[in-house]
Amino acid sequence: MVFTDSSFRFFSLIQSSVRASIAKSVSDTPFCYKGDSFFKAYETLERIWSKRESQREISNSFKISRNTLKEWENSFIEHGAIGLLCSISVVAVDPLLERLVNLIRIARPHANTSYVVQLCELLEIPNVTIELVYRVQRSHGYGQRMTTQERTFYEELQKILESLNKIKSMKRKLSHERVNRSDTFLDYGNDIFQKRIELFKALNGCSQKRQIRPILETFCVHSSRFYHLRNRYLSYGIWGLIDVLHAGIKLGEKISPEMELKIIEERLMNPALSASKLIKHLKLKCSRENIQRIFTRWRLCRFKEAKAIRGVLPSSFPVVEQSVCTVEKSARIRFPGLVKTANLAVNRGFSALLKRLKYHKVSISNPGALILAPFLDQLGIIESIYTYGPTTYRTTEITNDILVNVLRIVMGFPTINNLMLNSDFSVSIGAGLALKPTRSSLYRNLEEFRFCHLEKLRKDAGIRAKELYIVDGKEISIDYHSDPTESRFPRDKVMTRAPDKSGDMVYAHRPQIIWDSVTNSIINIAYCEGRSRAPSALYKFCEQNLFQIIEPSIVSEIYTDSEYTGEKQLIYLILRSNADVTMCLKQNKKIKRWKEEVLKDNQWIAYNEIYRIAGKDIVLSESGKQLRFVVKQNKETKETRCFGSTHMQWSFTKILDKYHIRWSVESGIKDLVENYFLNYPTGNSPEKVETHYYCVMISRLVFDYFMGVFNESEFKTPEGWESVFSTIRTTIFCNQNCELSVDDSGDLLITYLDGDHTGIKNKVANLLKERKTTGLNQVSWWGGRGVKIKIEDHFNFVRGNKIK
């Protein structure tokens, strides 16, 4: 059963109440303690039944009503002394939820709570929230500390209460009679609980241990049994004297909790598995009836479609239709006045801070969080999260934790712990908060995001980036990235293995990334489990994360890595988007056969000083499509790489030259790892990892949006590539000597105190002035205020204090 807060408090205070009564009593075995109504009820009935005192006198002395006396008497006659125990308030939950939580905690003690919620949703257990799961876990001893003593206490308490309900439901012949009260009050033969009560009541007056044994002989209780009951009494009070009813011995095979949970997962991921097929699939040594019993217990036979438990699951080759996808508009365009219509308000602490900044300046060192806030507001994060996010994020405040994490990443704090150890408040102020949120708040609130929320949020961010011309979508690249986990318990967290850069199999997540090769910006990024592979995940990934953002008719070129090698994948990309495809080919048996044919012809063409190339045109066997096959070989080491392209009119040299466009995704992934901390997720659960990927995606889009508007030639190479974010951080965004205040117009004013020797700060200030006139320099979570920049040179002692 699941306890309420009052029940938790009641049982948590029993031990201290019992020990307090020991300090006041002359005996080491107290009988009565404060905080439990049982002793009052039992004493009342004893005086009425055994001592024949008047009910009116008893009710007046104990200040209880006659109806209460009547209820106690009826319960005593029907259930015995056990019926006088107070009723415990519980939360009504589905029994399957309680059983599933226990099963997961036994099988995988370190599994994240969000995984429990996800599995409950897949099993269609109704009305499951993360707070309810926390309450169930706490009711069974799986609290935040997860100590052995805590689990033992609540496990035994659950057995006691379960036995109490069973004893009450049993039809027992008790001799307590209302007609003959004095003679039938004591019923040691049928009411064992009352016998133990009288035993402890008699021992309450024993001041010396030598007096205990004669009393035990009178009640026919062995000394070892007494000390066992005494220890239970010290832990659970009067509730510890209840007989714990044990289940009978179950004959036959047993399946461990780990295997039972594995059976549930496999059946959900593959509904075609029957009991017999599941035994062969998992190589089990048990009977079919045992597996069928698990199917019946969890009602697994009603699921007919595969369900994604972790990340993107493999799927079969889809039927490609020539239909054109209609891309929706972003939430920012659809709901431009959401902040006003939803009555969202600025954080109260931030409003108080703004009043103080009118007459008091605050020193800050990371002004980039404030400068980028207007650009972040244009991405429509508030409208998107309020529309597609969890219901808990639809509060009366405009700001949220996603803004804090995005600005944290942008300002160069790899983890939440690094942010908390920093004394600068620029990130929290930029996010519309007066103080930094607590670490537990930042971690806990991110658990509310599910895959269904994050998929829509990432899609909306990609659509908004298309509307702001951050991405183009004509030439795209698709790639995987191996993200090794640092968890101490990877198996318990349901992580799978994947190859790293050196080829070793490690526990890892594999984010799949879509990159715009023209604008060098991210289009989308999604979480994939370690064992998911590109060929099987490509169809579902493109349908959900690419073609709902970019219309297939817009895509003209697709570049892929060797992980996507396969004729089915190639045909899917060609027919789905009518685009040309160029890919690096993994040397499987078919590719090696093609390579040997090219090597036998020995018709090489020089390619740079190190390599030589050769190729041939091939007709694919399954589809009849033509493919231009190219082999690239190192002249010294004889190492070869294979490429394929649908550009039949291009030469072999041009195909390899054009393939260099795909390198933007490789450098982009390195940039996400080094400057946006892609490999530092805020947790190990799949939802938290993808939430971190969403924050990384927004951070990169904000930077690309700012650089596209700023268009500073100093931050671009002669080839047209932009500088990485770490360079710009140290120039104007981070480690600056600044003061923050509010000017007369109500906008936030950043004052640089070290001057502007390069002139870049002046250009940023002019950019913000221009965007102010067009209405783009305003932040919704600041109450519609913008940001301005003023430059002063306080440390130029030759020229004096020069203000620009």
Side-chain angles (χ1 to χ4, degrees), residues 477-479 517 557-564 581-585 607 632 641-645 647 650 652-666:
S477 302
I478 307 175
D479 201 359
S517 299
E557 196 80 34
I558 299 177
Y559 299 92
T560 64
D561 202 0
S562 59
E563 294 168 310
Y564 300 91
V581 181
T582 303
M583 61 172 59
C584 178
L585 299 176
Y607 186 74
K632 178 182 176 183
R641 293 188 65 188
C642 302
F643 301 86
S645 176
H647 288 284
W650 286 1
F652 302 145
T653 303
K654 187 175 182 179
I655 289 175
L656 293 186
D657 289 340
K658 286 289 186 179
Y659 187 77
H660 286 65
I661 297 176
R662 204 198 70 82
W663 290 356
S664 60
V665 68
E666 299 286 353

mmCIF file of all heavy atoms in Angstrom, residues 477-479 517 557-564 581-585 607 632 641-645 647 650 652-666:
data_model
loop_
_atom_site.group_PDB
_atom_site.id
_atom_site.type_symbol
_atom_site.label_atom_id
_atom_site.label_comp_id
_atom_site.label_asym_id
_atom_site.label_seq_id
_atom_site.Cartn_x
_atom_site.Cartn_y
_atom_site.Cartn_z
ATOM 1 N N SER A 477 23.577 16.705 -44.072
ATOM 2 C CA SER A 477 24.440 15.575 -43.723
ATOM 3 C C SER A 477 23.855 14.884 -42.501
ATOM 4 O O SER A 477 23.327 15.536 -41.598
ATOM 5 C CB SER A 477 25.869 16.049 -43.430
ATOM 6 O OG SER A 477 26.404 16.727 -44.541
ATOM 7 N N ILE A 478 23.959 13.561 -42.476
ATOM 8 C CA ILE A 478 23.435 12.758 -41.375
ATOM 9 C C ILE A 478 24.578 11.943 -40.796
ATOM 10 O O ILE A 478 25.358 11.336 -41.540
ATOM 11 C CB ILE A 478 22.299 11.825 -41.843
ATOM 12 C CG1 ILE A 478 21.221 12.613 -42.579
ATOM 13 C CG2 ILE A 478 21.688 11.080 -40.672
ATOM 14 C CD1 ILE A 478 20.131 11.752 -43.180
ATOM 15 N N ASP A 479 24.676 11.924 -39.472
ATOM 16 C CA ASP A 479 25.782 11.200 -38.846
ATOM 17 C C ASP A 479 25.390 10.798 -37.429
ATOM 18 O O ASP A 479 24.475 11.361 -36.831
ATOM 19 C CB ASP A 479 27.045 12.056 -38.815
ATOM 20 C CG ASP A 479 28.308 11.208 -38.657
ATOM 21 O OD1 ASP A 479 28.174 9.975 -38.560
ATOM 22 O OD2 ASP A 479 29.412 11.778 -38.622
ATOM 23 N N SER A 517 24.655 21.490 -44.303
ATOM 24 C CA SER A 517 26.011 21.653 -44.812
ATOM 25 C C SER A 517 26.241 23.019 -45.428
ATOM 26 O O SER A 517 27.392 23.431 -45.599
ATOM 27 C CB SER A 517 26.306 20.565 -45.860
ATOM 28 O OG SER A 517 26.205 19.279 -45.277
ATOM 29 N N GLU A 557 20.460 17.487 -51.867
ATOM 30 C CA GLU A 557 21.661 16.681 -51.687
ATOM 31 C C GLU A 557 21.693 16.135 -50.271
ATOM 32 O O GLU A 557 21.432 16.861 -49.303
ATOM 33 C CB GLU A 557 22.908 17.517 -51.949
ATOM 34 C CG GLU A 557 24.172 16.721 -52.157
ATOM 35 C CD GLU A 557 24.280 16.164 -53.573
ATOM 36 O OE1 GLU A 557 23.819 16.829 -54.515
ATOM 37 O OE2 GLU A 557 24.830 15.062 -53.708
ATOM 38 N N ILE A 558 22.008 14.857 -50.152
ATOM 39 C CA ILE A 558 22.125 14.208 -48.842
ATOM 40 C C ILE A 558 23.479 13.513 -48.783
ATOM 41 O O ILE A 558 23.832 12.730 -49.680
ATOM 42 C CB ILE A 558 20.991 13.198 -48.610
ATOM 43 C CG1 ILE A 558 19.628 13.891 -48.637
ATOM 44 C CG2 ILE A 558 21.175 12.478 -47.269
ATOM 45 C CD1 ILE A 558 18.451 12.944 -48.478
ATOM 46 N N TYR A 559 24.243 13.785 -47.715
ATOM 47 C CA TYR A 559 25.547 13.161 -47.503
ATOM 48 C C TYR A 559 25.456 12.304 -46.240
ATOM 49 O O TYR A 559 25.014 12.780 -45.186
ATOM 50 C CB TYR A 559 26.641 14.217 -47.344
ATOM 51 C CG TYR A 559 26.800 15.115 -48.553
ATOM 52 C CD1 TYR A 559 26.109 16.319 -48.646
ATOM 53 C CD2 TYR A 559 27.648 14.759 -49.601
ATOM 54 C CE1 TYR A 559 26.249 17.136 -49.750
ATOM 55 C CE2 TYR A 559 27.797 15.582 -50.701
ATOM 56 C CZ TYR A 559 27.092 16.767 -50.776
ATOM 57 O OH TYR A 559 27.227 17.570 -51.865
ATOM 58 N N THR A 560 25.874 11.060 -46.331
ATOM 59 C CA THR A 560 25.820 10.146 -45.196
ATOM 60 C C THR A 560 27.159 9.462 -45.006
ATOM 61 O O THR A 560 27.997 9.417 -45.920
ATOM 62 C CB THR A 560 24.722 9.081 -45.388
ATOM 63 O OG1 THR A 560 25.053 8.270 -46.521
ATOM 64 C CG2 THR A 560 23.366 9.719 -45.608
ATOM 65 N N ASP A 561 27.332 8.907 -43.824
ATOM 66 C CA ASP A 561 28.564 8.204 -43.493
ATOM 67 C C ASP A 561 28.393 6.719 -43.781
ATOM 68 O O ASP A 561 27.322 6.257 -44.171
ATOM 69 C CB ASP A 561 28.917 8.446 -42.021
ATOM 70 C CG ASP A 561 30.393 8.212 -41.740
ATOM 71 O OD1 ASP A 561 31.118 7.861 -42.691
ATOM 72 O OD2 ASP A 561 30.831 8.370 -40.596
ATOM 73 N N SER A 562 29.439 5.957 -43.513
ATOM 74 C CA SER A 562 29.437 4.526 -43.834
ATOM 75 C C SER A 562 28.440 3.735 -42.999
ATOM 76 O O SER A 562 28.091 2.615 -43.354
ATOM 77 C CB SER A 562 30.844 3.955 -43.631
ATOM 78 O OG SER A 562 31.271 4.134 -42.292
ATOM 79 N N GLU A 563 27.982 4.302 -41.882
ATOM 80 C CA GLU A 563 27.038 3.581 -41.031
ATOM 81 C C GLU A 563 25.705 3.335 -41.729
ATOM 82 O O GLU A 563 24.943 2.465 -41.331
ATOM 83 C CB GLU A 563 26.815 4.364 -39.734
ATOM 84 C CG GLU A 563 28.058 4.449 -38.870
ATOM 85 C CD GLU A 563 27.905 5.471 -37.750
ATOM 86 O OE1 GLU A 563 27.493 6.601 -38.070
ATOM 87 O OE2 GLU A 563 28.196 5.138 -36.603
ATOM 88 N N TYR A 564 25.399 4.138 -42.741
ATOM 89 C CA TYR A 564 24.118 4.030 -43.432
ATOM 90 C C TYR A 564 24.214 3.214 -44.709
ATOM 91 O O TYR A 564 23.344 3.292 -45.567
ATOM 92 C CB TYR A 564 23.597 5.439 -43.760
ATOM 93 C CG TYR A 564 23.394 6.293 -42.538
ATOM 94 C CD1 TYR A 564 24.416 7.102 -42.056
ATOM 95 C CD2 TYR A 564 22.192 6.286 -41.863
ATOM 96 C CE1 TYR A 564 24.245 7.888 -40.933
ATOM 97 C CE2 TYR A 564 22.004 7.063 -40.733
ATOM 98 C CZ TYR A 564 23.029 7.861 -40.269
ATOM 99 O OH TYR A 564 22.842 8.631 -39.151
ATOM 100 N N VAL A 581 22.182 11.387 -53.564
ATOM 101 C CA VAL A 581 22.782 10.873 -52.333
ATOM 102 C C VAL A 581 24.230 10.521 -52.613
ATOM 103 O O VAL A 581 24.543 9.863 -53.613
ATOM 104 C CB VAL A 581 22.029 9.639 -51.816
ATOM 105 C CG1 VAL A 581 22.664 9.133 -50.527
ATOM 106 C CG2 VAL A 581 20.557 9.968 -51.592
ATOM 107 N N THR A 582 25.115 10.978 -51.716
ATOM 108 C CA THR A 582 26.525 10.620 -51.765
ATOM 109 C C THR A 582 26.907 10.084 -50.394
ATOM 110 O O THR A 582 26.660 10.744 -49.381
ATOM 111 C CB THR A 582 27.404 11.832 -52.113
ATOM 112 O OG1 THR A 582 26.974 12.379 -53.368
ATOM 113 C CG2 THR A 582 28.861 11.438 -52.204
ATOM 114 N N MET A 583 27.482 8.890 -50.371
ATOM 115 C CA MET A 583 27.781 8.274 -49.075
ATOM 116 C C MET A 583 29.113 7.557 -49.112
ATOM 117 O O MET A 583 29.564 7.091 -50.161
ATOM 118 C CB MET A 583 26.673 7.281 -48.677
ATOM 119 C CG MET A 583 26.469 6.124 -49.631
ATOM 120 S SD MET A 583 25.329 4.873 -48.983
ATOM 121 C CE MET A 583 23.859 5.826 -48.742
ATOM 122 N N CYS A 584 29.739 7.513 -47.947
ATOM 123 C CA CYS A 584 30.896 6.650 -47.736
ATOM 124 C C CYS A 584 30.377 5.250 -47.460
ATOM 125 O O CYS A 584 29.458 5.076 -46.657
ATOM 126 C CB CYS A 584 31.745 7.165 -46.583
ATOM 127 S SG CYS A 584 33.172 6.147 -46.203
ATOM 128 N N LEU A 585 30.932 4.244 -48.128
ATOM 129 C CA LEU A 585 30.380 2.897 -48.078
ATOM 130 C C LEU A 585 31.192 2.012 -47.134
ATOM 131 O O LEU A 585 32.430 1.987 -47.197
ATOM 132 C CB LEU A 585 30.376 2.278 -49.472
ATOM 133 C CG LEU A 585 29.546 3.020 -50.525
ATOM 134 C CD1 LEU A 585 29.716 2.366 -51.882
ATOM 135 C CD2 LEU A 585 28.083 3.057 -50.129
ATOM 136 N N TYR A 607 44.919 11.599 -57.504
ATOM 137 C CA TYR A 607 44.056 12.471 -56.700
ATOM 138 C C TYR A 607 44.909 13.032 -55.567
ATOM 139 O O TYR A 607 45.238 12.327 -54.607
ATOM 140 C CB TYR A 607 42.868 11.691 -56.138
ATOM 141 C CG TYR A 607 41.844 12.553 -55.414
ATOM 142 C CD1 TYR A 607 40.979 13.365 -56.124
ATOM 143 C CD2 TYR A 607 41.769 12.562 -54.023
ATOM 144 C CE1 TYR A 607 40.039 14.146 -55.478
ATOM 145 C CE2 TYR A 607 40.837 13.345 -53.364
ATOM 146 C CZ TYR A 607 39.978 14.135 -54.097
ATOM 147 O OH TYR A 607 39.048 14.924 -53.455
ATOM 148 N N LYS A 632 39.061 4.984 -53.305
ATOM 149 C CA LYS A 632 40.149 5.916 -53.012
ATOM 150 C C LYS A 632 41.239 5.150 -52.261
ATOM 151 O O LYS A 632 40.962 4.534 -51.224
ATOM 152 C CB LYS A 632 39.620 7.077 -52.169
ATOM 153 C CG LYS A 632 40.662 8.084 -51.750
ATOM 154 C CD LYS A 632 40.013 9.167 -50.876
ATOM 155 C CE LYS A 632 41.018 10.147 -50.340
ATOM 156 N NZ LYS A 632 40.388 11.143 -49.440
ATOM 157 N N ARG A 641 39.327 3.363 -49.269
ATOM 158 C CA ARG A 641 37.998 3.762 -48.816
ATOM 159 C C ARG A 641 37.086 3.780 -50.037
ATOM 160 O O ARG A 641 37.519 4.115 -51.150
ATOM 161 C CB ARG A 641 38.021 5.141 -48.146
ATOM 162 C CG ARG A 641 38.782 5.185 -46.845
ATOM 163 C CD ARG A 641 38.581 6.535 -46.173
ATOM 164 N NE ARG A 641 37.194 6.733 -45.775
ATOM 165 C CZ ARG A 641 36.723 7.892 -45.301
ATOM 166 N NH1 ARG A 641 37.517 8.943 -45.220
ATOM 167 N NH2 ARG A 641 35.453 7.998 -44.959
ATOM 168 N N CYS A 642 35.814 3.444 -49.811
ATOM 169 C CA CYS A 642 34.862 3.328 -50.912
ATOM 170 C C CYS A 642 33.758 4.362 -50.762
ATOM 171 O O CYS A 642 33.293 4.632 -49.647
ATOM 172 C CB CYS A 642 34.272 1.918 -50.963
ATOM 173 S SG CYS A 642 35.510 0.624 -51.153
ATOM 174 N N PHE A 643 33.323 4.915 -51.893
ATOM 175 C CA PHE A 643 32.283 5.926 -51.921
ATOM 176 C C PHE A 643 31.273 5.580 -53.006
ATOM 177 O O PHE A 643 31.598 4.901 -53.994
ATOM 178 C CB PHE A 643 32.874 7.320 -52.185
ATOM 179 C CG PHE A 643 33.874 7.774 -51.172
ATOM 180 C CD1 PHE A 643 35.212 7.420 -51.283
ATOM 181 C CD2 PHE A 643 33.475 8.543 -50.096
ATOM 182 C CE1 PHE A 643 36.132 7.829 -50.339
ATOM 183 C CE2 PHE A 643 34.392 8.965 -49.147
ATOM 184 C CZ PHE A 643 35.725 8.604 -49.269
ATOM 185 N N GLY A 644 30.055 6.054 -52.822
ATOM 186 C CA GLY A 644 29.016 5.868 -53.819
ATOM 187 C C GLY A 644 28.195 7.129 -53.966
ATOM 188 O O GLY A 644 27.958 7.856 -52.990
ATOM 189 N N SER A 645 27.743 7.402 -55.206
ATOM 190 C CA SER A 645 26.967 8.602 -55.467
ATOM 191 C C SER A 645 25.978 8.330 -56.586
ATOM 192 O O SER A 645 26.236 7.533 -57.499
ATOM 193 C CB SER A 645 27.892 9.770 -55.844
ATOM 194 O OG SER A 645 27.147 10.916 -56.180
ATOM 195 N N HIS A 647 25.115 10.744 -58.574
ATOM 196 C CA HIS A 647 25.461 11.710 -59.625
ATOM 197 C C HIS A 647 26.203 10.968 -60.742
ATOM 198 O O HIS A 647 27.442 10.909 -60.757
ATOM 199 C CB HIS A 647 26.334 12.834 -59.057
ATOM 200 C CG HIS A 647 25.595 13.789 -58.176
ATOM 201 N ND1 HIS A 647 24.747 14.756 -58.667
ATOM 202 C CD2 HIS A 647 25.566 13.916 -56.825
ATOM 203 C CE1 HIS A 647 24.228 15.457 -57.668
ATOM 204 N NE2 HIS A 647 24.706 14.961 -56.536
ATOM 205 N N TRP A 650 28.704 13.153 -62.860
ATOM 206 C CA TRP A 650 29.903 13.703 -62.247
ATOM 207 C C TRP A 650 31.090 12.752 -62.460
ATOM 208 O O TRP A 650 30.935 11.523 -62.476
ATOM 209 C CB TRP A 650 29.699 13.934 -60.755
ATOM 210 C CG TRP A 650 28.825 15.119 -60.440
ATOM 211 C CD1 TRP A 650 28.211 15.952 -61.319
ATOM 212 C CD2 TRP A 650 28.489 15.590 -59.129
ATOM 213 N NE1 TRP A 650 27.498 16.923 -60.670
ATOM 214 C CE2 TRP A 650 27.655 16.724 -59.296
ATOM 215 C CE3 TRP A 650 28.795 15.179 -57.849
ATOM 216 C CZ2 TRP A 650 27.140 17.439 -58.231
ATOM 217 C CZ3 TRP A 650 28.297 15.897 -56.777
ATOM 218 C CH2 TRP A 650 27.463 17.016 -56.969
ATOM 219 N N PHE A 652 34.723 11.023 -61.131
ATOM 220 C CA PHE A 652 35.120 10.470 -59.841
ATOM 221 C C PHE A 652 35.778 11.535 -58.959
ATOM 222 O O PHE A 652 35.567 11.577 -57.743
ATOM 223 C CB PHE A 652 36.085 9.291 -60.043
ATOM 224 C CG PHE A 652 35.509 8.186 -60.873
ATOM 225 C CD1 PHE A 652 36.303 7.452 -61.730
ATOM 226 C CD2 PHE A 652 34.155 7.875 -60.792
ATOM 227 C CE1 PHE A 652 35.777 6.422 -62.494
ATOM 228 C CE2 PHE A 652 33.626 6.844 -61.551
ATOM 229 C CZ PHE A 652 34.436 6.118 -62.420
ATOM 230 N N THR A 653 36.543 12.412 -59.591
ATOM 231 C CA THR A 653 37.209 13.474 -58.833
ATOM 232 C C THR A 653 36.206 14.448 -58.244
ATOM 233 O O THR A 653 36.320 14.857 -57.074
ATOM 234 C CB THR A 653 38.194 14.223 -59.741
ATOM 235 O OG1 THR A 653 39.127 13.305 -60.299
ATOM 236 C CG2 THR A 653 38.935 15.293 -58.962
ATOM 237 N N LYS A 654 35.183 14.809 -58.994
ATOM 238 C CA LYS A 654 34.204 15.762 -58.510
ATOM 239 C C LYS A 654 33.375 15.173 -57.370
ATOM 240 O O LYS A 654 33.003 15.883 -56.425
ATOM 241 C CB LYS A 654 33.284 16.192 -59.651
ATOM 242 C CG LYS A 654 32.323 17.311 -59.272
ATOM 243 C CD LYS A 654 31.524 17.792 -60.464
ATOM 244 C CE LYS A 654 30.608 18.942 -60.071
ATOM 245 N NZ LYS A 654 29.833 19.452 -61.235
ATOM 246 N N ILE A 655 33.104 13.880 -57.443
ATOM 247 C CA ILE A 655 32.338 13.240 -56.360
ATOM 248 C C ILE A 655 33.103 13.343 -55.045
ATOM 249 O O ILE A 655 32.531 13.674 -53.996
ATOM 250 C CB ILE A 655 32.045 11.769 -56.722
ATOM 251 C CG1 ILE A 655 31.004 11.703 -57.857
ATOM 252 C CG2 ILE A 655 31.544 11.005 -55.503
ATOM 253 C CD1 ILE A 655 30.738 10.305 -58.348
ATOM 254 N N LEU A 656 34.409 13.062 -55.082
ATOM 255 C CA LEU A 656 35.195 13.156 -53.843
ATOM 256 C C LEU A 656 35.354 14.592 -53.388
ATOM 257 O O LEU A 656 35.377 14.869 -52.183
ATOM 258 C CB LEU A 656 36.566 12.505 -54.056
ATOM 259 C CG LEU A 656 36.567 10.989 -54.276
ATOM 260 C CD1 LEU A 656 37.995 10.468 -54.326
ATOM 261 C CD2 LEU A 656 35.787 10.261 -53.200
ATOM 262 N N ASP A 657 35.466 15.520 -54.333
ATOM 263 C CA ASP A 657 35.557 16.931 -53.943
ATOM 264 C C ASP A 657 34.265 17.394 -53.281
ATOM 265 O O ASP A 657 34.290 18.127 -52.275
ATOM 266 C CB ASP A 657 35.858 17.795 -55.175
ATOM 267 C CG ASP A 657 37.276 17.593 -55.685
ATOM 268 O OD1 ASP A 657 38.122 17.101 -54.900
ATOM 269 O OD2 ASP A 657 37.527 17.915 -56.863
ATOM 270 N N LYS A 658 33.133 17.007 -53.817
ATOM 271 C CA LYS A 658 31.851 17.400 -53.241
ATOM 272 C C LYS A 658 31.595 16.718 -51.899
ATOM 273 O O LYS A 658 30.892 17.260 -51.038
ATOM 274 C CB LYS A 658 30.714 17.039 -54.207
ATOM 275 C CG LYS A 658 30.623 17.959 -55.416
ATOM 276 C CD LYS A 658 30.109 19.341 -55.019
ATOM 277 C CE LYS A 658 29.872 20.200 -56.227
ATOM 278 N NZ LYS A 658 29.334 21.551 -55.854
ATOM 279 N N TYR A 659 32.180 15.520 -51.720
ATOM 280 C CA TYR A 659 31.967 14.815 -50.455
ATOM 281 C C TYR A 659 32.587 15.561 -49.279
ATOM 282 O O TYR A 659 32.218 15.341 -48.133
ATOM 283 C CB TYR A 659 32.544 13.394 -50.539
ATOM 284 C CG TYR A 659 32.212 12.555 -49.319
ATOM 285 C CD1 TYR A 659 30.940 12.012 -49.164
ATOM 286 C CD2 TYR A 659 33.154 12.313 -48.331
ATOM 287 C CE1 TYR A 659 30.619 11.242 -48.060
ATOM 288 C CE2 TYR A 659 32.842 11.546 -47.223
ATOM 289 C CZ TYR A 659 31.578 11.021 -47.093
ATOM 290 O OH TYR A 659 31.246 10.271 -45.994
ATOM 291 N N HIS A 660 33.515 16.480 -49.577
ATOM 292 C CA HIS A 660 34.115 17.274 -48.503
ATOM 293 C C HIS A 660 33.067 18.127 -47.790
ATOM 294 O O HIS A 660 33.292 18.566 -46.658
ATOM 295 C CB HIS A 660 35.220 18.171 -49.062
ATOM 296 C CG HIS A 660 36.463 17.419 -49.420
ATOM 297 N ND1 HIS A 660 36.501 16.486 -50.427
ATOM 298 C CD2 HIS A 660 37.719 17.460 -48.896
ATOM 299 C CE1 HIS A 660 37.736 15.980 -50.514
ATOM 300 N NE2 HIS A 660 38.485 16.552 -49.606
ATOM 301 N N ILE A 661 31.932 18.369 -48.444
ATOM 302 C CA ILE A 661 30.877 19.159 -47.802
ATOM 303 C C ILE A 661 30.378 18.449 -46.532
ATOM 304 O O ILE A 661 29.960 19.099 -45.571
ATOM 305 C CB ILE A 661 29.721 19.395 -48.799
ATOM 306 C CG1 ILE A 661 30.228 20.212 -49.992
ATOM 307 C CG2 ILE A 661 28.541 20.097 -48.140
ATOM 308 C CD1 ILE A 661 29.199 20.431 -51.078
ATOM 309 N N ARG A 662 30.451 17.102 -46.540
ATOM 310 C CA ARG A 662 29.974 16.366 -45.379
ATOM 311 C C ARG A 662 30.866 16.557 -44.159
ATOM 312 O O ARG A 662 30.460 16.270 -43.030
ATOM 313 C CB ARG A 662 29.887 14.860 -45.703
ATOM 314 C CG ARG A 662 28.907 14.088 -44.833
ATOM 315 C CD ARG A 662 29.169 12.608 -44.880
ATOM 316 N NE ARG A 662 30.405 12.238 -44.209
ATOM 317 C CZ ARG A 662 30.534 12.063 -42.907
ATOM 318 N NH1 ARG A 662 29.481 12.206 -42.122
ATOM 319 N NH2 ARG A 662 31.689 11.737 -42.374
ATOM 320 N N TRP A 663 32.061 17.080 -44.365
ATOM 321 C CA TRP A 663 32.959 17.276 -43.234
ATOM 322 C C TRP A 663 32.428 18.307 -42.258
ATOM 323 O O TRP A 663 32.890 18.379 -41.120
ATOM 324 C CB TRP A 663 34.347 17.688 -43.731
ATOM 325 C CG TRP A 663 35.073 16.579 -44.427
ATOM 326 C CD1 TRP A 663 34.657 15.297 -44.569
ATOM 327 C CD2 TRP A 663 36.341 16.667 -45.079
ATOM 328 N NE1 TRP A 663 35.571 14.553 -45.270
ATOM 329 C CE2 TRP A 663 36.630 15.374 -45.597
ATOM 330 C CE3 TRP A 663 37.254 17.687 -45.283
ATOM 331 C CZ2 TRP A 663 37.801 15.096 -46.299
ATOM 332 C CZ3 TRP A 663 38.426 17.407 -45.978
ATOM 333 C CH2 TRP A 663 38.693 16.126 -46.483
ATOM 334 N N SER A 664 31.479 19.122 -42.696
ATOM 335 C CA SER A 664 30.916 20.121 -41.780
ATOM 336 C C SER A 664 30.229 19.465 -40.593
ATOM 337 O O SER A 664 30.269 19.990 -39.469
ATOM 338 C CB SER A 664 29.928 21.023 -42.519
ATOM 339 O OG SER A 664 28.857 20.261 -43.050
ATOM 340 N N VAL A 665 29.590 18.315 -40.807
ATOM 341 C CA VAL A 665 28.946 17.640 -39.684
ATOM 342 C C VAL A 665 29.990 17.050 -38.744
ATOM 343 O O VAL A 665 29.791 16.999 -37.515
ATOM 344 C CB VAL A 665 27.956 16.566 -40.190
ATOM 345 C CG1 VAL A 665 28.670 15.414 -40.859
ATOM 346 C CG2 VAL A 665 27.103 16.035 -39.036
ATOM 347 N N GLU A 666 31.127 16.596 -39.285
ATOM 348 C CA GLU A 666 32.195 16.074 -38.425
ATOM 349 C C GLU A 666 32.769 17.180 -37.541
ATOM 350 O O GLU A 666 32.920 17.006 -36.324
ATOM 351 C CB GLU A 666 33.300 15.457 -39.295
ATOM 352 C CG GLU A 666 32.858 14.306 -40.163
ATOM 353 C CD GLU A 666 32.630 13.040 -39.366
ATOM 354 O OE1 GLU A 666 32.951 13.029 -38.165
ATOM 355 O OE2 GLU A 666 32.115 12.063 -39.947
#
